[in-house]
Each structure stands twice: as C-alpha cells, then as structure tokens.
Amino acid sequence: RKEVEQDPGPFNVPEGATVAFNCTYSNSASQSFFWYRQDCRKEPKLLMSVYSSGNEDGRFTAQLNRASQYISLLIRDSKLSDSATYLCVVDVNYGQNFVFGPGTRLSVLP
Amino acid sequence: DTAVSQTPKYLVTQMGNDKSIKCEQNLGHDTMYWYKQDSKKFLKIMFSYNNKELIINETVPNRFSPKSPDKAHLNLHINSLELGDSAVYFCASSSQGGENTEAFFGQGTRLTVV
C-alpha cells in the first residue's frame, strides 16, 4: 500500500463547479498535513496546511480525520486558474520527510 | 529574492557522464531535501539533510551523492549517468520540527540523459 493515496483523476469540471479531492495516508504517527499545488512544469507550492479542526481559506476548505487517516480538499466556485495538479502531502518525521501523494489533476473548463 | 534556488534549470548530457546540481536556500532553514519527479509525475524523496547531516537516504543508487557544505547548500552529484536518471530533480527546504512546517521548493532541474 502506498504511504499516501489520492483520487486518480483527472477531474474535468466547468467553471463555477465545486470539486472535492480525497486523500488517505498509512502512517498513523504522521504529524502534519498539507495540500500543495503544482502547475505544469513548475515546482510544487503550498496551497494550505490542514489542521485537525479543519480550516478554510477563501474558496478552499481542508478537513482532516486522524481516526480514519483521511484528508480532503474542497474547492468552491472553481476558476480557470485553479487548473493544476493537487498534491496531498504528509509529514511523517517532524519536518524531515514530506511524503507526497501521486496527485490529482484538475482541469477547469470555460 | 528567490528562497530556494537550484542550478542549472535544464541539463542535457550523455550517458556515462558525471554531473552536479546545486541548491541554495536563503530562508535560514535547518533541513534540505532532494526529490525526484519521474515521467509519471510522482514526487519521491531521495535525501534529507538536517544541519549538514544526512537524515534520510532512500533507496537511491550510490551513483547519487549529496553534499552539504553548510546549512544553506545541498548539492547533488550524479556519477555515470543512465537513461533512467532522466527526470526533474527538486531541491527543497524547511525549518526544523513544529507542526505545519511547510517545505519550500526550488524551480527544479530538468535532467535529460541521451
């Protein structure tokens, strides 16, 4: 089983749609959780950290369920500029090992 | 100011050659990493250094040798390059410990072995 798994994608959605990404992780001792975004031929960049109580940043909402070892990302009112690959990332060793999921590609269509 | 910078951005070289990729961070971070992103776009950690000491060394051929002359630099030297080494190599850094300490990435080095 991979350490971090994500929806295989790709997701093709119209502008304005709401889209949800799911992620599961296998290491129950993982400390921190993140969603990164990677545009084509660019480096990954932090989209948002994921806190135990859930957190929201504008149109983006992240949830964490430690008991189920499950992380989610919800994007509301999708924009064309949201098109990218979304990477679920888990810190398994106190900032010394960030494990990436395979990513889910999102295309927002006009 | 670029936080994590790596050079070169593109590298095309022949099989059997030896090459180096340099990485520098000006964020004052304690931990630096090398990741490899293959043709399937999967990002996998290769090495992790904390305060110039090797912390993680994943299953990587010993043709790959990281060198950290100081906390701000982590270079990657590759001997006897093979076709399968073609990938994008990302350097990253983060501060030590704490919750929700994110990793910052360099722009990547696209290595093509011909």
Side-chain angles (χ1 to χ4, degrees), chain A residues 31-34 36 38 41-44 46 49-51 66 87 93-102, chain B residues 31 33 35 37 42-43 45 48 50 55-56 58 90 94 96-103 105-107 110:
Chain A
Q31 295 92 45
S32 302
F33 310 88
F34 310 88
Y36 274 69
Q38 186 173 24
R41 302 180 79 86
K42 297 283 189 184
E43 73 273 24
L46 180 70
S49 301
V50 187
Y51 301 115
R66 283 188 185 266
L87 299 158
N93 191 11
Y94 298 98
Q96 294 178 356
N97 188 356
F98 293 88
V99 180
F100 281 74
Chain B
T31 308
Y33 317 81
Y35 281 82
Q37 189 166 42
F42 187 53
L43 261 165
I45 194 167
S48 165
N50 181 259
I55 304 297
I56 288 173
E58 290 292 315
F90 286 101
S94 73
Q96 173 65 47
E99 269 199 58
N100 300 108
T101 304
E102 69 179 277
F105 283 78
Q107 290 184 309
R110 187 170 296 271

Side-chain angles (χ1 to χ4, degrees), chain A residues 23-51:
Chain A
C23 170
T24 56
Y25 60 95
S26 61
N27 186 339
S28 59
S30 300
Q31 295 92 45
S32 302
F33 310 88
F34 310 88
W35 284 100
Y36 274 69
R37 169 192 170 132
Q38 186 173 24
D39 293 288
C40 190
R41 302 180 79 86
K42 297 283 189 184
E43 73 273 24
K45 290 186 178 175
L46 180 70
L47 178 66
M48 58 195 302
S49 301
V50 187
Y51 301 115

Side-chain angles (χ1 to χ4, degrees), chain B residues 33-81:
Chain B
Y33 317 81
W34 277 107
Y35 281 82
K36 178 180 179 180
Q37 189 166 42
D38 59 26
S39 57
K40 294 182 181 173
K41 309 297 182 189
F42 187 53
L43 261 165
K44 189 166 170 55
I45 194 167
M46 299 173 70
F47 302 102
S48 165
Y49 266 73
N50 181 259
N51 283 316
K52 302 193 319 178
E53 287 191 25
L54 181 66
I55 304 297
I56 288 173
N57 181 355
E58 290 292 315
T59 307
V60 173
N62 57 15
R63 299 181 294 105
F64 290 79
S65 52
K67 293 253 186 329
S68 182
D70 55 58
K71 251 175 48 167
H73 295 84
L74 181 62
N75 303 323
L76 184 65
H77 188 75
I78 315 170
N79 289 328
S80 304
L81 278 155

Side-chain angles (χ1 to χ4, degrees), chain B residues 19-33:
Chain B
K19 290 293 178 186
S20 291
I21 308 172
K22 295 187 176 180
C23 179
E24 176 182 4
Q25 53 96 4
N26 62 6
L27 297 166
H29 286 163
D30 302 306
T31 308
M32 295 185 72
Y33 317 81

